[in-house]
C-alpha cells in the first residue's frame, strides 16, 4: 500500500504542475494578444474589462472541503455544529430506507369494519410517524447550527471572503449543512409515502377524538406538534425552506449587520465553488471522487439561499453570483448526477421567473 502511494505521488504532482502551467499559459496568451492591440482598441478595452471583472468579483482560493481543521478561534462554534452534523448521516440513512405503510393503509381503508386491519395499519404507521418527528426536530437543531455559523462568518471586522479563507473549518461545516439539506430534500421529494403516512395518522387521531378515544401515540406527537410537522412536510423542500427562513430571520434580527454581509457570504461561497469546479489546478487537489458532487451541491444550495434572502435575487444582472457560469459548470457534468441540482434551481428558487432574469439564463435552465 505504501509503495503504491509513493508511486502515485509523482503522478499527482505532475498533473497539478501541468494544470498550473496551462492556466499560466492561457493568461500569457491573453496578455500577448493585448500587447498587439492598439491602446484605444475597443477589443482591448473589453478584454481588460472582462479579466478585471473576473479577478475583482470572484475570489480565487482553494476551500479545503476534505481536510479543513478548526483553529483555536473556531473551536467553540465548530464543536457546537459538529454535534448536530454527527446525526446527519444517520438521518439520511433512515430517510433513504423509509418504505412507508402504504399496503397496510390501503387494506385498512378498503375494509373499514375490520378492526384487525385497522390496528395493523395503526401499528405500522406509529413508528414511522415517530421517525418523521425525529427528522423534524433535527431540522430545528440544524437551524440553530446555521445561525451560529452565520454569526461567525459575517461578524466584523472581517469581510465574508476573509472569513471563508481564514475559517475554513466553519466554511466546511456550512457546506456540509447545505449538502445534507439538498440530499434530504431530494429523498423527500421522491417519496410520497411520507405525506401519505402522516395524513393517515392525522385522520385516525381526528376520528378517535370525535369518538372520545385517546390513543397512546398522541403522547409522543400531540396536536400542536402534528400541526408543525404538517407544515414542514407540506413543503416540497422542507429542509431548504427551514434554512431559508432561518437565514431571513438572522438578517431581520441583526439590524446592525448590513444585509450585504450575509448575502456576500453566500455569493462568495457560490463563487469559490464555481471557480474550484472549473479550474483544473484546484480540481486536481480533490482526493475524493465525491468532492466534485459535494462542491456542486454546496454551490446550488448557497445560490438558492441567496435568491431567497437577497431583495432582487440571484438571477438579476446586479447579482454578485455568475449564474451563467454556475449553470454551465453543472451542465458540463453527466446529466444523471446534476439533474436534481438543476431542478432545484428551476423549482425552488424565488426569482427565476422575474422580469429581471435574462432570457439566456432561462434558456440555460430549460
Amino acid at each position: 500500500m505504501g509503495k503504491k502511494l509513493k508511486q502515485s505521488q509523482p503522478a499527482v504532482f505532475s498533473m497539478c504542475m501541468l494544470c498550473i502551467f496551462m492556466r499560466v499559459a492561457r493568461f500569457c496568451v491573453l496578455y500577448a494578444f493585448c500587447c498587439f492591440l492598439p491602446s484605444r482598441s475597443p477589443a482591448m478595452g473589453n478584454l481588460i474589462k472582462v479579466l478585471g471583472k473576473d479577478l475583482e468579483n470572484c475570489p480565487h482560493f482553494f476551500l479545503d472541503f476534505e481536510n479543513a481543521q478548526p483553529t483555536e478561534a473556531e473551536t467553540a462554534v465548530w464543536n457546537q455544529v459538529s454535534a448536530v452534523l454527527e446525526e446527519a448521516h444517520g438521518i439520511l440513512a433512515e430517510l433513504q430506507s423509509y418504505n412507508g405503510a402504504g399496503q397496510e393503509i390501503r387494506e385498512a381503508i378498503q375494509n373499514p369494519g375490520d378492526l384487525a386491519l385497522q390496528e395493523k395499519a395503526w401499528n405500522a404507521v406509529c413508528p414511522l410517524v415517530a421517525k418523521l418527528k425525529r427528522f423534524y426536530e433535527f431540522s430545528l437543531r440544524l437551524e440553530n447550527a446555521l445561525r451560529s455559523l452565520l454569526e461567525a462568518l459575517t461578524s466584523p471586522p472581517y469581510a465574508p471572503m476573509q472569513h471563508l479563507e481564514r475559517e475554513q473549518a466553519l466554511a466546511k461545516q456550512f457546506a456540509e449543512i447545505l449538502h445534507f439539506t439538498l440530499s434530504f430534500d431530494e429523498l423527500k421529494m421522491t417519496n410520497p409515502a411520507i405525506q401519505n403516512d402522516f395524513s393517515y395518522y392525522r385522520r385516525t387521531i381526528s376520528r378517535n377524538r370525535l369518538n372520545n378515544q385517546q390513543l397512546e401515540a398522541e403522547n409522543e406527537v400531540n396536536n400542536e406538534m402534528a400541526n408543525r410537522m404538517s407544515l414542514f412536510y407540506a413543503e416540497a423542500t422542507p429542509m431548504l425552506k427551514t434554512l431559508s427562513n432561518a437565514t431571513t430571520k438572522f438578517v431581520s434580527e441583526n439590524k446592525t449587520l448590513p444585509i450585504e454581509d450575509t448575502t456576500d457570504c453566500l455569493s462568495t461561497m457560490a463563487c469559490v465553488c464555481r471557480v474550484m469546479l472549473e479550474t483544473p489546478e484546484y480540481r486536481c487537489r480533490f482526493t475524493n471522487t465525491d468532492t466534485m458532487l459535494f462542491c456542486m451541491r454546496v454551490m446550488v444550495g448557497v445560490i438558492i439561499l441567496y435568491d431567497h434572502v437577497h431583495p432582487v435575487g440571484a438571477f438579476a444582472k446586479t447579482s454578485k453570483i455568475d449564474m451563467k457560469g454556475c449553470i454551465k459548470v453543472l451542465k458540463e457534468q453527466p446529466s444523471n448526477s446534476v439533474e436534481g441540482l438543476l431542478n432545484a434551481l428551476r423549482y425552488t428558487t424565488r426569482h427565476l421567473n422575474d422580469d429581471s432574469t435574462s432570457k439566456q439564463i432561462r434558456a440555460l435552465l430549460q
Side-chain angles (χ1 to χ4, degrees):
M1 180 70 180
K3 288 182 179 179
K4 287 183 179 179
L5 186 59
K6 288 180 181 178
Q7 289 172 357
S8 67
Q9 285 175 343
V12 173
F13 177 77
S14 300
M15 185 186 297
C16 287
M17 291 303 296
L18 178 61
C19 291
I20 293 170
F21 172 78
M22 289 171 64
R23 190 163 180 86
V24 171
R26 186 179 72 176
F27 277 96
C28 288
V29 170
L30 289 169
Y31 178 76
F33 176 67
C34 287
C35 291
F36 282 101
L37 290 171
S39 61
R40 296 180 181 273
S41 164
M44 180 177 181
N46 289 337
L47 182 60
I48 292 173
K49 183 179 178 182
V50 169
L51 291 175
K53 182 180 179 183
D54 182 60
L55 292 173
E56 179 185 350
N57 292 344
C58 206
H60 287 62
F61 64 86
F62 185 75
L63 192 48
D64 194 351
F65 286 140
E66 294 178 342
N67 304 303
Q69 295 297 317
T71 61
E72 187 177 348
E74 296 172 89
T75 301
V77 174
W78 188 90
N79 286 337
Q80 176 192 342
V81 177
S82 181
V84 177
L85 286 172
E86 283 176 1
E87 299 179 54
H89 181 74
I91 293 287
L92 287 180
E94 282 192 77
L95 181 57
Q96 198 158 19
S97 63
Y98 189 101
N99 294 320
Q103 181 65 29
E104 293 86 346
I105 291 172
R106 279 192 297 274
E107 290 176 351
I109 291 173
Q110 290 167 2
N111 302 276
D114 191 325
L115 296 180
L117 288 177
Q118 306 304 313
E119 187 175 354
K120 182 182 177 183
W122 180 251
N123 290 337
V125 164
C126 283
L128 294 174
V129 170
K131 189 177 290 189
L132 295 178
K133 181 189 176 188
R134 286 199 302 276
F135 297 167
Y136 169 70
E137 289 174 336
F138 181 76
S139 76
L140 302 180
R141 292 195 293 278
L142 201 69
E143 180 180 348
N144 291 331
L146 178 72
R147 182 184 181 87
S148 297
L149 288 173
L150 286 174
E151 286 174 353
L153 293 172
T154 59
S155 59
Y158 301 114
M161 184 181 75
Q162 292 172 307
H163 274 298
L164 292 174
E165 195 167 10
R166 290 165 55 95
E167 296 151 23
Q168 295 219 356
L170 298 186
K172 179 187 174 187
Q173 287 185 319
F174 185 57
E176 287 171 343
I177 286 177
L178 291 166
H179 181 265
F180 165 82
T181 296
L182 267 66
S183 300
F184 182 96
D185 287 346
E186 278 183 20
L187 290 170
K188 186 266 177 185
M189 280 193 291
T190 56
N191 195 340
I194 290 173
Q195 282 184 276
N196 292 339
D197 292 347
F198 195 64
S199 294
Y200 178 80
Y201 174 85
R202 297 206 72 186
R203 287 199 306 272
T204 305
I205 290 288
S206 297
R207 186 169 62 248
N208 285 319
R209 277 208 198 95
L210 291 174
N211 297 328
N212 294 318
Q213 294 177 352
Q214 177 90 18
L215 295 172
E216 188 177 336
E218 285 190 77
N219 296 328
E220 185 169 352
V221 181
N222 59 31
N223 192 49
E224 182 185 351
M225 173 62 76
N227 286 337
R228 284 187 276 143
M229 288 172 61
S230 183
L231 291 172
F232 178 76
Y233 288 110
E235 295 288 341
T237 53
M239 285 292 176
L240 194 59
K241 180 68 173 177
T242 297
L243 295 196
S244 172
N245 289 344
T247 308
T248 304
K249 186 178 178 183
F250 173 80
V251 169
S252 64
E253 288 182 351
N254 290 270
K255 300 189 184 301
T256 58
L257 186 72
I259 186 174
E260 291 79 12
D261 285 21
T262 303
T263 55
D264 284 357
C265 177
L266 301 176
S267 62
T268 302
M269 179 81 90
C271 186
V272 169
C273 288
R274 176 180 64 79
V275 169
M276 289 201 299
L277 287 166
E278 66 186 11
T279 307
E281 61 264 37
Y282 287 156
R283 283 203 312 271
C284 74
R285 291 172 65 178
F286 296 154
T287 59
N288 190 325
T289 54
D290 293 333
T291 306
M292 282 281 289
L293 179 58
F294 180 89
C295 206
M296 287 187 283
R297 282 185 188 277
V298 173
M299 181 180 74
V300 169
V302 288
I303 288 171
I304 296 169
L305 275 186
Y306 182 98
D307 193 58
H308 279 255
V309 175
H310 196 280
V312 297
F315 299 96
K317 289 181 180 179
T318 55
S319 167
K320 292 187 178 181
I321 297 177
D322 177 7
M323 286 305 305
K324 288 181 187 176
C326 291
I327 295 169
K328 285 177 181 176
V329 165
L330 292 175
K331 291 207 158 188
E332 287 170 359
Q333 312 306 318
S335 59
N336 63 331
S337 64
V338 298
E339 191 58 31
L341 298 178
L342 290 169
N343 283 337
L345 291 176
R346 291 178 185 122
Y347 306 122
T348 65
T349 47
R350 180 175 290 175
H351 295 280
L352 174 61
N353 295 317
D354 288 1
D355 294 337
S356 57
T357 302
S358 71
K359 292 180 180 178
Q360 293 95 322
I361 290 178
R362 289 183 189 176
L364 281 171
L365 283 174
Q366 284 180 352

